[in-house]
Structure formats: C-alpha cells, structure tokens
Amino acid sequence: MKKRLIAVLCAAALLGSSGSVPVWAKEQNQELQKILDTIQKDYDTMIETLDKKKAEFEKGIGTTYGDYVKNSGKTAEWVETIQKETSGLYEKIDKNSAGYYKKLVEVVDMSDYEAWDDAVDEIYQLVYDDIYDDVYDEVYDGYLDDLYELVYEDILDKQPDGIEYSDWYEVRSEAYSVWYEGRSDVYSSLSDAKSDFYNRHSDITSAFWNKDYNVEDIIGETIDKDLEKLILGIEKKFTDRSDQVGNALKEVYKSLGSEVASYEAGYEDLEEWYENLKDQDEEFYEEIRLDCAEYYRTVVKVCDMDQKYAWKRSVNVFYRRIYKGAFNGYYKAVYKKQFGELSKKYYKDFFTSVKKGMDYSDWYDLKSDFYDDWYDAKSDFYDDWYDAHSQTYDDWYDISSAFWDGDTDVNKVLKIKDTKKKDSASSEKTESSKKETDSKKKATAAKNSSTVKDTDKNSGRGTDSKKKTTASDKTKTADGVSPELKEFLDEYEAFFDEYIAFMEKYNKSDNSLTMLADYTKMMLKYQDFGEKAEKYDEDTMSDADLAYYLEVMTRVNTRLLNADL
C-alpha cells in the first residue's frame, strides 16, 4: 500500500557501475519518507483504535431486542467514535501534508522537474489514492455497513413477542436514523477531505510549475485583516442566529409543558416558532449573501489581483470557513440538534409518558399531528438552507472563475446591487427574494424533500405482515410503496438531477480545472448510488414497489439520454 520515493533511489543508475546513492539523495528520501511514514502510521493507528472500539461495541450492545433497548446509547457512541477518529485523521493529514510540501522545497532540487514532480506524486498517491480509498472501504463500507447488519438486520429485524409494534417500530427507526445520519456525515467528511487535499495538491503543482516555491503563500490560511474581520462577522451572525433559534425553542418548551392540557394550550407557540424560523431564515440568508458579496469586493480592493495565489487564498479561506464551516454549523445546530431535541422531547418522551392516560385514537391523532407539523417545518428549514448553501457555492464558483479570467466586477458577476442598507428598497428586495424562493421550491420540492425524510416515518425494512391495522398503515406510503424503497428512489432521482446539472455545467465550463474536486465528490456519490441500486431485486418486490421502481428508473434514464453530457 505504502509508496516509496522511488525516483531518488533510482539515482544510482546515473552513477555508472558504482551503484551508490549520493548523500543528498539519501537525506532527501529520509526526510520526506519520515513524513509519509507518519501519515501512514496515523491511518494504521486509527484502524487499530476502531477495531478495538468495534469489538467493545458489539460485545456491549447485546444480541436481543431487550439488550438493545437497554444499551441503545452505545450505537450513537460508536458512530460518534467513528466520526471523531476519521475527522482526527484528516486533521493530521492536513497538517503533515503541509509540512511535507514545505520540507520538499528545502531538500529537493526545485530546478529538477522530475525530482520535485515525483516527490509531489508520492504524497498524492499515498493520501489520495491509498489512504482515502481505504477509509472509504474500511470505514464507510466496513464498520458502518457491519453496524447496519448487526443492529438493523439482525437484532431489530423482527418484532419480538410481547412488544407492541409501535414501540418496536420507533426503536428500529431511531436506530436506522442514527446509522443513516452518521454514515452520511462520515461520507461528507471524507469527500471534503479528499476535495481539500486535491485542491492543495493542484495548487502546489501549478505553483511549482510556475517556479513559485513559497508554500506558505500557496496553502496558507493567513488573509488580510479586513477580510478576516468580515469573515469573523459572518461567522458571528451564524452563531447568533443559532442561539436565537435555540433560545426561542426553549421558551416554546415552557409553554408546552409536560401535561396534555399544557401541551394543547401551548401548541400555538410551537406553530409560531415554525413560522418565524422560516420567515426569519429567508431574510437571514439574503443578508448573508450580501455580506459574502462585500467580502469578494474587499478581496478585489486589498489583494494584488495579478497574483493568482493572493486572491485565491482569500477566496478559498472564505469557502472553507463560510460555505463549509458556518453554513454546516448552522445546519447541525438547528436541523440536527434543535429539531432532533424537539422530536425526542415530545414525539418520543412526552407521547410515551401520556399514552396510558389517553384514548388511543386521540393519542395517536395528537402524536401524528405533531409529527406532520414537525416534519414539514424541518423540511422547510432544509429547503431554505439548501437553497442558500447552493447559492453560496454558485457565487463562490462564479467569482473564482471570473477572477481567474481577470473579471473583478463582483456586482456584475453575482448580479446584485452594491448595497446593504436596511431601507425600503432592501425590504422590497427581500420580499421579492421570498417569492422567488417559494417558486423555486415548488419546482424542486421532490428533489429537496427526498433528502431530508426522517426514518421515524419512512423506515420499514423487514417488517412483519402480522400487525395491527393502525400500525401496518404506517409501514406503507399512501400509494402502497415501502417507505425505505421510496426514500432510496427519491434520493436516487434527486442525485441524478444534481448529477446531470453538474455534468452539463462541467462540460460547458471553460475552466473545468476549478471543478475537479467537486467532480471527484460527484463520482463517489455516483458509485455509491449505483451500488445501492444493485442491491434491490425486482423479482422480490411487491407490485406497488416494482411500479414505483420502474417509474423512477425510467425517468432517470430518460433524463440521462436527453441531457447534454
């Protein structure tokens, strides 16, 4: 697996029959190889740690439904351990790869193209081709698939005797949710790590080719103080917004209380929280976009735009800290934490505690209404966040391409006005933006909503047909399609919409180099969905499942055939 610095070892071939390697070549090999060895060791140590933790998890989780209920928290702990260990590895690789490039400039004859190119290729092969592929195989397709099989397909596969269907269903759905969200996070982190490494490698190679050997300038995170101030301001706005949403929800909890009477009396406050979240987020994202435009305008003011790495570093720092950092932090704070806490506190805990004291039909209706409103609000939040996040990426990409081509008119590139005044004109613009967003959502609702379907409602693999009528109704959608299959097919179709749009943009781009990292991420997702699709056997599907399966596949194939790829 581990590659060696073969090029310098082959220097002996240039020395005639002596076969000896020059001292400088040995030292070069040792210094750089030491860093490569450290990177490999960090990966090996992570795998050893995860192997040990996996064994502890499998021993502690038990083998029966009762064992799992008692120890269910261990599933989330195991997933969090995987996330923590992989993220830690990426941080170490980031630090050590930066050190590698700096050391390379010190020990390699940079006038010798083959020497530095071989050295750069060594770390690329080790990290990008080997270690990150191994993380995908061993972690994403290994530990997490094993977790799914153990918990979801083995321990919780069938409803145990003496356990109510609704109780078993909720335990199983929650287990699926923990696994699914954890796996998605691991995949996303890996894709980001690969993209970051690829971009750094590309920048380094291009710079060295142009005889620019200032590694700190090429990959550094230091930016102009005015730019840093703007980024800190945007980051603070996201943090403040997260706190605002969380504090408002705490007030709602006070109104809802823990009794049925207080819950019903205070439910209007929860509905108001949902409405305010949506309305305020639309205004918030509009303001953030203007802040981002101001950042790009400041890049033009403070950077030497003739020096590629001066502006590119500033633009890429923005990408990492705002597009990846602040946006994802807000998503996790609200979509995962706040909505997750709300679901646990009421959908699970509250309705479990009041069930015995209520008529079942009233209890079921009240619980279903809560879930429907919660799910709709959560989907709306995701829709708005997704639109704003995508817009931020599009703006970043358009700006990067424009700067590359020498176009520094930020307002023209982004098609916005140079204003942030909170006057009537701004209000009219915000209102117009809301209408545009609503219109856009209607056109893309199927795409966006499929991504956020919660498995409390949609998971149903391996369900037993001998169920109560009210319970079995929950395992099928309105048209009789299995929720799990429908969830996958909706995500499958949404992905190909995204794939087609990206590939058309990629093929038409005059500078596709800037899109290579995202192309790599797209290919990983393409491979993942292809593998998942192959697991479904048409011969074992119900009539409703098969009909929907063929319907989606036909739509996807038609779009692929008609797309300009």
Side-chain angles (χ1 to χ4, degrees), residues 70 156-157 183 298 382 433 448:
K70 181 180 178 181
L156 303 179
D157 183 50
R183 191 168 187 256
T298 306
Y382 182 85
S433 175
N448 292 336

Side-chain angles (χ1 to χ4, degrees), residues 29-64:
N29 178 59
Q30 291 171 357
E31 298 232 41
L32 294 179
Q33 189 60 51
K34 182 178 179 181
I35 299 176
L36 296 181
D37 289 344
T38 297
I39 293 173
Q40 181 66 51
K41 183 178 180 181
D42 287 338
Y43 169 78
D44 293 339
T45 300
M46 180 195 74
I47 293 298
E48 290 174 5
T49 299
L50 290 177
D51 281 342
K52 180 180 178 181
K53 294 294 184 179
K54 179 187 177 184
E56 293 175 358
F57 164 73
E58 292 179 345
K59 180 179 180 180
I61 199 65
T63 58
T64 67

Side-chain angles (χ1 to χ4, degrees), residues 257-530:
S258 58
E259 303 293 335
V260 175
S262 62
Y263 171 85
E264 292 180 322
Y267 194 74
E268 286 186 1
D269 289 346
L270 178 59
E271 292 176 315
E272 184 177 353
W273 183 80
Y274 290 149
E275 293 173 4
N276 288 339
L277 177 62
K278 179 174 178 56
D279 292 342
Q280 293 169 8
D281 266 359
E282 289 175 350
E283 296 179 4
F284 172 70
Y285 292 134
E286 181 67 20
E287 181 179 346
I288 290 297
R289 187 173 186 231
L290 294 176
D291 288 341
C292 295
E294 179 64 20
Y295 180 88
Y296 294 133
R297 283 192 290 268
T298 306
V299 169
V300 175
K301 293 177 183 177
V302 303
C303 293
D304 181 354
M305 299 305 288
D306 292 329
Q307 295 295 322
K308 170 187 170 186
Y309 296 108
W311 65 258
K312 188 171 183 180
R313 179 171 66 253
S314 299
V315 170
N316 286 345
V317 166
F318 173 87
Y319 176 85
R320 285 190 287 273
R321 289 176 60 179
I322 303 303
Y323 176 75
K324 287 187 176 181
F327 266 97
N328 288 334
Y330 183 55
Y331 169 82
K332 291 177 180 178
V334 179
Y335 185 82
K336 291 195 171 182
K337 183 179 179 181
Q338 302 299 343
F339 276 100
E341 181 183 87
L342 178 59
S343 175
K344 182 181 184 304
K345 188 178 287 286
Y346 283 92
Y347 187 73
K348 182 179 180 182
D349 296 344
F350 171 76
F351 283 106
T352 298
S353 68
V354 301
K355 183 177 181 180
K356 292 183 179 180
M358 294 182 67
D359 174 76
Y360 179 81
S361 179
D362 293 340
W363 172 85
Y364 183 81
D365 288 343
L366 199 64
K367 185 180 182 184
S368 297
D369 288 343
F370 171 87
Y371 183 87
D372 289 342
D373 291 343
W374 173 87
Y375 178 79
D376 289 342
K378 188 183 181 190
S379 298
D380 284 344
F381 172 84
Y382 182 85
D383 288 345
D384 291 337
W385 178 87
Y386 179 90
D387 286 345
H389 196 227
S390 298
Q391 183 68 64
T392 302
Y393 177 86
D394 290 342
D395 288 348
W396 170 82
Y397 174 79
D398 291 341
I399 284 291
S400 298
S401 298
F403 286 179
W404 184 280
D405 294 333
D407 184 356
T408 59
D409 190 338
V410 172
N411 297 336
K412 183 182 72 174
V413 173
L414 300 184
K415 299 184 172 113
I416 61 174
K417 294 181 180 180
D418 186 2
T419 178
K420 291 185 62 179
K421 295 179 181 179
K422 309 298 182 182
D423 52 16
S424 58
S426 177
S427 299
E428 289 173 4
K429 184 173 182 180
T430 299
E431 185 61 31
S432 173
S433 175
K434 289 182 185 179
K435 292 178 180 178
E436 290 177 6
T437 302
D438 290 341
S439 175
K440 184 176 181 181
K441 281 200 213 110
K442 289 178 181 177
T444 60
K447 173 182 175 182
N448 292 336
S449 63
S450 66
T451 312
V452 297
K453 291 183 179 175
D454 187 274
T455 53
D456 284 351
K457 187 175 183 180
N458 294 310
S459 174
R461 181 183 293 193
T463 52
D464 193 335
S465 61
K466 297 179 181 180
K467 307 288 185 282
K468 298 177 182 179
T469 302
T470 55
S472 63
D473 288 343
K474 295 167 65 179
T475 68
K476 294 287 183 181
T477 59
D479 52 6
V481 180
S482 300
E484 184 194 12
L485 177 64
K486 187 176 189 305
E487 179 182 3
F488 166 72
L489 289 174
D490 288 346
E491 290 181 353
Y492 182 85
E493 185 172 15
F495 164 73
F496 273 97
D497 285 342
E498 179 185 2
Y499 170 79
I500 290 170
F502 175 84
M503 290 305 300
E504 288 179 337
K505 187 172 184 178
Y506 178 83
N507 290 333
K508 293 177 182 178
S509 175
D510 294 330
N511 184 25
S512 58
L513 180 62
T514 60
M515 301 178 69
L516 280 177
D518 295 294
Y519 176 84
T520 301
K521 184 185 296 188
M522 191 65 67
M523 291 302 101
L524 282 172
K525 293 172 71 174
Y526 184 99
Q527 176 185 350
D528 187 48
F529 271 104

Side-chain angles (χ1 to χ4, degrees), residues 14-176:
L14 303 176
L15 303 177
S17 60
S18 66
S20 62
V21 179
V23 174
W24 66 264
K26 290 181 180 179
E27 291 177 349
Q28 172 183 321
N29 178 59
Q30 291 171 357
E31 298 232 41
L32 294 179
Q33 189 60 51
K34 182 178 179 181
I35 299 176
L36 296 181
D37 289 344
T38 297
I39 293 173
Q40 181 66 51
K41 183 178 180 181
D42 287 338
Y43 169 78
D44 293 339
T45 300
M46 180 195 74
I47 293 298
E48 290 174 5
T49 299
L50 290 177
D51 281 342
K52 180 180 178 181
K53 294 294 184 179
K54 179 187 177 184
E56 293 175 358
F57 164 73
E58 292 179 345
K59 180 179 180 180
I61 199 65
T63 58
T64 67
Y65 174 84
D67 291 338
Y68 183 84
V69 171
K70 181 180 178 181
N71 302 308
S72 60
K74 294 183 181 298
T75 302
E77 291 175 3
W78 171 221
V79 171
E80 288 172 3
T81 297
I82 293 174
Q83 294 170 322
K84 180 180 178 181
E85 289 295 325
T86 51
S87 295
L89 174 68
Y90 305 148
E91 290 175 4
K92 292 175 182 177
I93 288 176
D94 184 75
K95 178 180 178 181
N96 286 317
S97 62
Y100 181 91
Y101 294 126
K102 292 175 184 177
K103 180 59 65 176
L104 186 156
V105 172
E106 294 177 11
V107 302
V108 174
D109 179 3
M110 298 305 290
S111 65
D112 185 343
Y113 166 77
E114 289 189 3
W116 69 253
D117 185 59
D118 286 342
V120 168
D121 190 53
E122 287 296 329
I123 192 169
Y124 180 87
Q125 291 180 37
L126 174 64
V127 175
Y128 195 85
D129 288 344
D130 291 343
I131 289 181
Y132 283 149
D133 280 356
D134 288 346
V135 171
Y136 184 92
D137 293 338
E138 296 297 327
V139 179
Y140 185 76
D141 269 355
Y143 298 124
L144 288 165
D145 276 6
D146 291 345
L147 170 63
Y148 180 92
E149 292 174 4
L150 173 64
V151 173
Y152 199 74
E153 292 188 335
D154 186 3
I155 298 175
L156 303 179
D157 183 50
K158 294 182 179 180
Q159 178 185 354
D161 294 336
I163 301 298
E164 288 191 23
Y165 173 81
S166 60
D167 293 337
W168 165 78
Y169 181 84
E170 287 185 14
V171 169
R172 193 165 187 258
S173 295
E174 185 175 352
Y176 181 90

Side-chain angles (χ1 to χ4, degrees), residues 212-252:
D212 181 354
Y213 310 124
N214 191 331
V215 174
E216 186 60 41
D217 258 0
I218 300 167
I219 66 175
E221 292 285 312
T222 303
I223 57 177
D224 179 87
K225 63 180 181 179
D226 290 335
L227 294 175
E228 179 66 23
K229 183 178 179 180
L230 287 170
I231 282 191
L232 289 173
I234 297 173
E235 290 174 332
K236 185 176 186 303
K237 285 187 177 182
F238 273 101
T239 301
D240 290 346
R241 177 64 184 145
S242 299
D243 292 341
Q244 180 187 21
V245 172
N247 291 334
L249 185 57
K250 289 178 181 178
E251 294 301 314
V252 172

